[in-house]
Amino acid sequence: MRCMKISTALLTVPVCVLALACETDTATEESLVAPPGPSFKHEGAPALCAVSADVVQKVKGHRIVVTGTDGNDNIGCAGASLPVHISTGKGNDFILGSQFDDEIKSGKDCDFINALGGNDHVDLGPGDDSQAVCQAAGIGNGGARGGNGNDVVKGGPGDDELSGSAGSDLCEGGKGADVYLGGCTTCSDPDQDCTL
Ligand SMILES: [Ca+2]
Ligand SMILES: [Ca+2]
Ligand SMILES: [Ca+2]
């Protein structure tokens, strides 16, 4: 197999002569022409999330499905190479999304979610999820952050703390005494806790 490269002013293109396949450093070639911003193209096994014991994660299509336990889960997907779909059930859960478009839902008890970059859908579910409540209980952080991107950030029927962060974000606290930290461009709250 004979391969050679033809260089232009913009990029280098591998050309194969009398060969069925041509082995090149495709990662390098793609990195030269890839557009900036999040992209979940990858070769080989995708990078998964860092998770605590008994949390299950599976690659399904172009996303990672992460299922927490009814205990306290720690799920960090900042280094994941695919969007994530996370659900955590009961327990005090600490969750960081990926840099892509994620769906994240936590359950009862004190949860903290930061969806990071991408256009994310975040739902704190039932329970009181706010910094004040969680810190008073000795748990630490609580609440939801949309992160960069255009996000939907939802609370549940408890006292929640919501932040849209950067981007055009929709925040919905649901019932309960909810705290809106800012970054929400649109908000909806049955108790009128949100004042934009
Ligand atoms: Ca849990
Ligand atoms: Ca994200
Ligand atoms: Ca609420």
Side-chain angles (χ1 to χ4, degrees), residues 155-160 173-178:
D159 300 347
D160 305 305
K175 293 182 178 177
D178 300 312

Side-chain angles (χ1 to χ4, degrees), residues 90-101:
K90 298 176 185 175
N92 306 312
D93 303 315
F94 184 91
I95 305 164
L96 298 180
S98 78
Q99 300 299 330
F100 312 110
D101 301 349

Side-chain angles (χ1 to χ4, degrees), residues 110 130-140:
C110 251
S130 74
Q131 193 84 342
V133 172
C134 298
Q135 286 194 340
I139 294 163

